[in-house]
Amino acid sequence: MEDKKVEKQKYALVTGGSRGIGRAICVQLAKDLDYHIIINYNGNKKAAEETLKLVEEAGGNGEILQFNVADAEGVKSILEAWHEDHKEAVIEVVINNAGITKDGLFMWMSPEDWSSVIDTSLNGFYNVTNALIQKLLVNKYGRIINMVSVSGLKGTPGQTNYSAAKGAVIGATKALAQEVAKRNVTVNAVAPGFIKTDMTKELNEQELRKMIPANRFGTAEEVAHTVSFLASSKSSYITGEIININGGIYS
Ligand code: NAP
């Protein structure tokens, strides 16, 4: 009997792929790499559909998968169900991009504003990555990329919650990288400065650009190029690294 080796279908998951940096990453991956792209979103289905359209226009293919990264049980059950439906699939690239801000001075920061930011960035990283890591190790190849921030490196006043969440993910990136390197799974983080997206639309660019050596905010595409490189096989000897994309802000 002929030994039919079923070719595994390879997927890249982008959390928070519906808007901003996540959307630019989905489109860049579609242009550069040969993955089916899973576009995760939380509440904004229309925006996720628009990302899928852009992915297809860029010559790629993908699908939309709703879950709230902060909801541990929800993430687990949705990803388990997804694997049930995709028995020959492997999610080889995991991009933990979903994130929110709830800015305010620490003195007046409510427990909700503290927890929701930690739950999304830090626990979101745990919930998604922990649900997929075993399969990556069995696959003996994988790329995990965490979206952190200049705030997690230097700390930003008015963002103790966000700085804490991103700083913690930086530590986790370095630790996990050492645990899984032998299996050809790399774990890196990308730390953007000010990037033009919905997250920063209320900020005063004219004022803030004075402290950015490049004298402007960056674009989501400028972040996506680095993420796409880290997601590729070309980055194989880079792991546990935090790459700044911030127009020269010293961090
Ligand atoms: P954005 O434009 O506000 O988009 C946020 C994305 O995250 C959306 O797709 C959103 O989905 C998704 N999301 C939020 N909470 C989620 C949850 N609980 N579960 C699943 N998805 C969730 O933000 P962005 O500027 O692109 O930021 C993307 C990442 O880069 C974040 O981690 C952010 O902290 C980081 N970052 C941004 C900047 C910047 O200047 N923009 C700088 C440094 C780091 P919905 O559309 O469904 O709401």
Side-chain angles (χ1 to χ4, degrees), residues 18-19 21 42-44 68-69 97 148 162 166 193 195 197:
S18 46
R19 290 183 286 128
I21 294 172
N42 186 23
N44 213 329
N68 172 1
V69 297
N97 165 76
V148 294
Y162 187 75
K166 296 300 192 183
I195 306 299
T197 66

Side-chain angles (χ1 to χ4, degrees), residues 15-246:
T15 70
S18 46
R19 290 183 286 128
I21 294 172
R23 170 181 286 175
I25 292 169
C26 291
V27 174
Q28 200 59 50
L29 294 181
K31 287 179 183 166
D32 296 345
L33 304 176
D34 195 18
Y35 284 107
H36 297 255
I37 299 165
I38 306 172
I39 304 159
N40 161 255
Y41 72 102
N42 186 23
N44 213 329
K45 189 172 183 198
K46 264 211 154 75
E49 285 168 350
E50 177 61 23
T51 302
L52 178 56
K53 196 169 142 241
L54 293 169
V55 162
E56 287 168 351
E57 281 170 10
N61 56 57
E63 63 189 75
I64 292 168
L65 192 64
Q66 191 283 334
F67 55 81
N68 172 1
V69 297
D71 172 9
E73 283 309 309
V75 171
K76 206 163 167 257
S77 64
I78 287 172
L79 287 176
E80 272 172 14
W82 188 90
H83 278 108
E84 274 300 305
D85 289 347
H86 299 77
K87 288 225 163 52
E88 289 309 321
V90 55
I91 299 177
E92 205 165 76
V93 174
V94 182
I95 301 176
N96 291 300
N97 165 76
I100 56 166
T101 49
K102 291 277 168 73
D103 296 353
L105 289 180
F106 183 70
M107 191 166 57
W108 291 301
M109 188 169 285
S110 68
E112 293 71 30
D113 284 356
W114 176 262
S115 307
S116 59
V117 170
I118 305 275
D119 284 348
T120 308
S121 276
L122 178 57
N123 296 338
F125 156 78
Y126 171 82
N127 295 336
V128 173
T129 313
N130 191 259
L132 299 172
I133 190 81
Q134 255 180 320
K135 287 188 163 49
L136 285 181
L137 295 175
V138 170
N139 189 47
K140 294 202 183 88
Y141 180 90
R143 297 280 181 266
I144 298 168
I145 300 152
N146 300 322
M147 195 57 60
V148 294
S149 167
V150 65
S151 300
L153 287 158
K154 70 174 262 301
T156 301
Q159 289 195 318
T160 49
N161 48 0
Y162 187 75
S163 303
K166 296 300 192 183
V169 174
I170 288 169
T173 299
K174 293 178 181 177
L176 184 59
Q178 295 173 68
E179 285 187 21
V180 298
K182 270 197 190 140
R183 294 277 181 147
N184 293 319
V185 177
T186 65
V187 190
N188 290 291
V190 169
F194 293 100
I195 306 299
K196 271 190 209 193
T197 66
D198 290 345
M199 187 175 271
T200 53
K201 68 173 185 249
E202 304 298 329
L203 300 180
N204 183 344
E205 182 175 353
Q206 293 314 313
E207 204 43 49
L208 287 165
R209 72 181 197 177
K210 291 177 194 156
M211 66 181 215
I212 306 168
N215 202 34
R216 64 172 176 87
F217 281 12
T219 65
E221 290 70 28
E222 287 174 305
V223 178
H225 280 295
T226 300
V227 174
S228 178
F229 166 70
L230 289 173
S232 76
S233 58
K234 294 176 193 160
S235 67
S236 46
Y237 207 52
I238 303 174
T239 196
E241 197 55 65
I242 317 301
I243 300 184
N244 290 294
I245 305 178
N246 61 24

